[in-house]
Each structure stands twice: as C-alpha cells, then as structure tokens.
Amino acid sequence: MVAVAAEETLEAHLERFAVQGFTVMRSVFNPDEVARMLAASERLVSKVRADPKSFEAPTVPRYTDRTEGALDTWGVDNMFAPRLYEPELGAIFGHEKFMAFSHAFLGPNLRFWAAHLLWSPERTSYQLGWHKDQHDNEQYDPTGGSRHVQFNVCLTGDKSFRAIPGSHRRPMTDAERAAVTTDSPAPLDGEVQVECEAGDVIYMNHHMVHRGTCEPGQFRRTLHMNVQSMEEETGGQTSYSYMREPGYLESIDPALAALMRKAIEWDDAHPVDRAEARRRMRISHDLRRSTAGADK
C-alpha cells in the first residue's frame, strides 16, 4: 500500500508525477463538496443500473457480468452526455484547487478528453487487466513528460488503483508486455496499490502500466477523467456529436464548456485518416463488448 504525506507542495507533486507516473493529492475537495458530488453520482448510477441496455455509444456501461437477467455494472462512459449530465459533477473543472495541478503541468491551454464515472459492482468482483490507455502499449517518455493528465477523483474511500511506478518512462518488461497483451490481472513485479480517502485525487499518466480492482462489498464512487494540452498530438477525436448539438454547451458549466470547445477546435483541425479511424473503431468495439469480472 502506498502512503502519501497529507501536506506537500505542488512542486513535489509535479516531480512525483514525472518520476513515478502518478501522485495523490489529499483533501482536494472538502466534505461538503464531496457530499454534493456523491449525491449527484448516486443519481447517475441509478439511471444506468435501472436499464443499462438502453445506453448506447458514447454512454457505454462497463460490466463485470453480462449474464442474462443478472447484469452487473462498474461504470459508464461519457458522464457529461445530456442523458447523464449532473450539474454538481459538471462544475468540477471550475474548481481552482482541483485544476491547479493540470494547469501547472500542462499550462493554461487545455482541451477536454474524457469523463467517466466508476463504481463498485453489486455481485461480481471487478478485475481489470493490466493496460496502457488508448492501446498505446509501446508509448513512453524517459523524461516522464506528458501532454495529458488523467485523474481519479475519489468520492468515497478507494483502494482500487494499482500501478507500476515508472513504467511510463521505459519500454515494458517481457512480463508486463505479456500481461498487457493478454489483458491479465495477475500480479506483476513492482506493482503498488494506492489507498485514498473521499476528497483525494490521483493524478496519473495513462502511459503508465496500471489496472483497477474492486470487490462488491467495497463501496466506490470515483470520477475518472482526462484533460490534454492543445499541443498533444494524439488522443483527440472525442468531441462527440452531443457536444455540437445547438444549446448543449450553453446548458453546462462554463469551465467544462470551454474545455469542450477546445476539444472541438482540436478535432476539426486534426481529422483522422481511414486507418486511424478503423483502429479507434476496433478499440471502441472491444470496450463495448468487454467485461471485467472475476472469471476474466
């Protein structure tokens, strides 16, 4: 288990992020803020659990079990889509303390990339295999540099996150590559488990080898999101059609709307070729049909 000091400077967190690939900032959100976001997350979870089959891309539920009559979910993608949007969650990007790290690491010119809600399953334990996000399996930077910041905002106690510190700065080992290739959740040398309290935030580099795990009895509500610099050359094309619908950006939190406008601007300036479009479609299809249950 990783222990992190309660009070550290922003500079210390920036250095740790570069060196090990993640850092934990404690008590970014106060209890009142957590309570409001937690209530909003419960409304969102209830919407998905009531009828997960009714949700279609890009609001794709994540499953631990798809047995007919016993569907069990552990999250949903695109929580800011109109059907799922909750104002208390949409306001997060206007939170100065929360955004201080991303602005310090990436600068002021950011774009929206992703926002999902993750929760504890009801029946089947969640065991996600080792991976690097976006299937960028061979991506690394020896300096620890990054033009994105991914984060887990913990609204409850959370010990789901496991990672291989420093794996974003080097090629994968043979064992790591085998685990990533086979989507295995088996233990790896050097892995750490990170334990957080409600209000804490894990800031991470998604090119680090990592995975998640959660048992049904471990009540979990976590916001899983990502922002990128406008200078980032990859990871685009997430300006989903609902963001372009008349009136949508005017109906959501202004800070979130500004990030989405930047995402639209970036995507329009960087159209993907057919080969990349097919690759993204395969990834999306794999995510929609996958499960992360204990029998994985």
Side-chain angles (χ1 to χ4, degrees):
M1 211 68 85
V2 173
V4 180
E7 296 291 341
E8 292 187 286
T9 65
L10 180 57
E11 290 72 21
H13 284 293
L14 293 169
E15 181 178 359
R16 182 179 295 109
F17 181 85
V19 171
Q20 73 173 17
F22 72 93
T23 190
V24 180
M25 294 186 71
R26 303 295 184 183
S27 301
V28 174
F29 296 93
N30 66 43
D32 288 342
E33 292 168 335
V34 170
R36 290 194 295 270
M37 289 193 291
L38 186 57
S41 76
E42 288 307 286
R43 293 191 292 270
L44 199 157
V45 171
S46 295
K47 293 176 190 177
V48 176
R49 282 181 169 167
D51 187 11
K53 286 186 174 181
S54 70
F55 287 85
E56 300 177 348
T59 54
V60 181
R62 302 183 178 198
Y63 294 92
T64 59
D65 186 358
R66 292 195 185 198
T67 305
E68 192 63 35
L71 295 176
D72 196 15
T73 58
W74 63 274
V76 69
D77 292 352
N78 280 283
M79 68 182 191
F80 294 139
R83 185 177 175 186
L84 293 174
Y85 184 77
E86 292 284 343
E88 293 83 0
L89 301 180
I92 193 169
F93 290 105
H95 191 283
E96 185 176 352
K97 186 175 180 180
F98 168 65
M99 290 301 293
F101 180 91
S102 296
H103 284 139
F105 196 83
L106 299 175
N109 199 14
L110 305 181
R111 72 180 194 262
F112 175 86
W113 188 74
H116 316 309
L117 178 63
L118 311 181
W119 57 78
S120 45
E122 294 183 286
R123 293 175 296 276
T124 305
S125 67
Y126 146 59
Q127 297 290 338
L128 196 63
W130 293 105
H131 63 283
K132 292 189 176 190
D133 291 337
Q134 286 301 102
H135 291 207
D136 289 332
N137 294 343
E138 302 304 328
Q139 180 71 35
Y140 67 92
D141 184 335
T143 71
S146 173
R147 289 195 173 126
H148 74 266
V149 173
Q150 186 160 283
F151 27 81
N152 282 359
V153 179
C154 302
L155 304 180
T156 60
D158 193 326
K159 54 182 180 181
S160 296
F161 184 63
R162 297 172 185 263
I164 310 295
S167 55
H168 65 304
R169 296 189 292 117
R170 57 166 174 78
M172 288 187 290
T173 66
D174 290 344
E176 290 166 355
R177 186 170 287 103
V180 168
T181 302
T182 61
D183 202 26
S184 169
L188 285 175
D189 288 344
E191 73 172 85
V192 297
Q193 182 180 11
V194 181
E195 188 163 358
C196 294
E197 300 297 332
D200 295 348
V201 178
I202 307 172
Y203 297 90
M204 71 189 79
N205 184 320
H206 74 215
H207 294 139
M208 174 182 57
V209 178
H210 63 282
R211 76 181 196 91
T213 177
C214 187
E215 299 297 324
Q218 299 170 353
F219 183 68
R220 183 194 193 203
R221 300 290 186 267
T222 292
L223 312 181
H224 178 65
M225 302 184 290
N226 188 309
V227 293
Q228 297 187 333
S229 165
M230 287 292 281
E231 296 178 1
E232 170 66 86
E233 297 178 355
T234 64
Q237 306 307 320
T238 59
S239 58
Y240 296 101
S241 58
Y242 66 82
M243 298 180 189
R244 300 168 184 259
E245 292 176 1
Y248 170 76
L249 292 177
E250 290 71 31
S251 72
I252 64 175
D253 183 86
L256 173 60
L259 290 171
M260 288 185 173
R261 287 190 177 95
K262 288 291 188 179
I264 292 170
E265 176 187 334
W266 192 97
D267 287 359
D268 288 350
H270 297 81
V272 297
D273 60 26
R274 290 184 178 181
E276 177 62 12
R278 286 194 296 269
R279 186 185 80 89
R280 291 170 185 265
M281 187 175 296
R282 285 196 302 272
I283 293 172
S284 177
H285 180 68
D286 288 346
L287 289 173
R288 285 199 294 271
R289 71 181 182 182
S290 68
T291 61
D295 59 348
K296 195 178 161 61

